Amino acid sequence: MVENIYRSERCRYSALETKLIEDFEIKSDFRQEDSDETLEFKEEIYWVFKYLKMIRFIQNGPVGLISISSKGMEFLNRQSLEGNKLENIKQLVEIKDYLNSFELEIDPIVVPYNKFTQFSDEVKLKNTLNSFYCSKDSDIQDFIRNNIERFEDKSICRSYLILDRKNNDNENFYILGFFALSLKILYVDQNKLTRKQKKDMNLLKDQDGIPSYFIAQLGKNDMFKYNFKGEYLLNEALNIVYRCIEMLGGTIVWLEANKGADYVMNFYKDYGFMELQSELQEDQLERTQLVKYLNTE
């Protein structure tokens, strides 16, 4: 998108969208008009455009024309661009890093999903959910966009959105991140546990199932991954769990991570979660269960 704006200098959004879609169709050899893929690509263009405006990399000019801002142009001019070309992959990577690391002022607030639906109309609700992108885990993105309402209605879990009060507009709020909590039985084999683990879990003799608090989903929006820290999500999720403990008791909160996802595993371990066990699940993915013992803190 930046490449097309730079080359055309000033254009309308409709012209920019048309150019990007034409490039997409040519490169993917995909020409079916108004297909699901094209509509999905249009949506991505829309959110990238809104993000570029939010960080003031692009701006609206006279009579609806868009252009790169003076601050954005300062950065591009440092890239030694020649002949309005942005074809050097190193330059493109630098532009991407710049956009991702832009210091954006945000004002996060935790809003239970069922409360959000009460003060947001249907269109704004859908736009807000569609503003969430997670390229590393399509299941999380699909949950937010398509399944959150169903899980809420059936009381399978309770979802919480982290919304940005600073940058919302008439069309949507932005989701910085979200998490979902539920009650779930954690099944264990006492023969494979250490004496300390049994003590921390308050296990009774021959007990193989522990009622516990489960972090069912947790994810950040790719649009804000450099502006918003994952620790905030875990802090807020645990705050709610601790409030539940005050009323209901309990000793364990746990979650699951794909086995081999070292970055994710280390993130949870740094926060105090410990590996318990791994298992192959119905979708044929092996996941590791990580636990945090709340009664030892």
Side-chain angles (χ1 to χ4, degrees), residues 111-118 125 129 144 148-150 152-153 158-161:
V111 180
Y113 175 76
N114 55 12
K115 298 294 183 185
F116 182 57
T117 59
Q118 294 174 16
L125 171 63
L129 297 181
I144 277 280
I148 190 170
E149 181 75 34
R150 180 167 59 88
E152 193 77 25
D153 286 345
R158 287 287 177 258
S159 295
Y160 298 83
L161 307 177

